């Protein structure tokens, strides 16, 4: 009886250890047999809320025109819009939609994006509140 139990435990340990080794990509023959695992390519959104100084609203909307126009021409940008609160004209929200994280990274690397912050720094009442969101789909739940 003890021998059967010992064999059973040894078998379970062997199965368990071989199961763990199957989690790796490829096999023991070498790196040439490694397979690429596709990385999820989800849509991304950015929501940026800004409070503009009351006497700087017109200057802010003028400054925003360039980044809106250029961003909408980016290959990975699906939409880049600026919205203004109808009840408080000093509150704005940028809503941006991108094909994937690579498109967001390209947007952040653009010269006009890098120049926009310093351009509006004297126009805003406080730093922007920015949220980056992965678009929910059935495949990334």
């Amino acid at each position: 009886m003890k021998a059967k139990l010992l064999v059973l435990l040894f078998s379970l340990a062997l199965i368990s250890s071989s199961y763990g080794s199957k989690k790796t990509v490829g096999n023991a023959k070498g790196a040439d047999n490694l397979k690429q695992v596709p990385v999820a390519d989800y849509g991304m959104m950015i929501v940026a809320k800004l409070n503009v100084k009351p006497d700087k609203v017109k200057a802010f909307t003028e400054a925003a025109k360039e980044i809106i126009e250029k961003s909408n021409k980016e290959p990975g940008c699906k939409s880049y819009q600026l919205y203004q609160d109808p009840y408080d004209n000093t509150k704005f929200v940028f809503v941006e939609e991108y094909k994937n994280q690579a498109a967001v990274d390209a947007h952040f690397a653009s010269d006009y994006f890098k120049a926009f912050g310093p351009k509006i720094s004297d126009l805003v009442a406080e730093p922007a509140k920015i949220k980056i969101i992965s678009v929910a789909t059935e495949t990334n739940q």
Side-chain angles (χ1 to χ4, degrees):
M1 177 75 171
K2 286 183 181 179
K4 287 183 181 180
L5 184 58
L6 188 57
V7 170
L8 181 61
L9 288 173
F10 180 77
S11 299
L12 285 173
L14 185 61
I15 291 169
S16 175
S17 67
S18 67
Y19 172 75
S21 68
K22 290 182 182 179
K23 290 180 182 176
T24 59
V25 179
N27 60 31
K29 291 183 181 177
D32 296 337
N33 293 327
L34 291 177
K35 295 179 184 176
Q36 285 289 69
V37 176
V39 176
D41 200 21
Y42 306 127
M44 302 293 290
M45 288 192 75
I46 298 175
V47 178
K49 297 178 181 181
L50 296 103
N51 291 324
V52 177
K53 295 175 183 174
D55 59 330
K56 303 293 184 180
V57 170
K58 184 174 170 95
F60 174 78
T61 56
E62 287 297 317
K65 285 181 182 179
E66 178 186 13
I67 196 166
I68 294 166
E69 182 180 313
K70 290 183 176 181
S71 296
N72 275 306
K73 291 179 181 176
E74 294 172 6
C77 180
K78 291 181 173 184
S79 176
Y80 194 104
Q81 300 295 320
L82 177 63
Y83 298 92
Q84 186 176 24
D85 186 326
Y87 303 106
D88 182 348
N89 74 341
T90 65
K91 295 185 186 286
F92 290 86
V93 178
F94 281 104
V95 179
E96 310 164 34
E97 188 175 2
Y98 297 91
K99 290 180 181 176
N100 52 30
Q101 183 62 49
V104 171
D105 295 343
H107 173 68
F108 287 162
S110 69
D111 290 339
Y112 50 88
F113 175 80
K114 291 176 184 175
F116 187 65
K119 189 183 290 188
I120 64 164
S121 64
D122 292 336
L123 309 178
V124 295
E126 60 190 53
K129 294 176 180 93
I130 301 171
K131 195 157 235 180
I132 301 175
I133 307 161
S134 174
V135 177
T137 65
E138 287 183 33
T139 58
N140 67 349
Q141 292 179 1

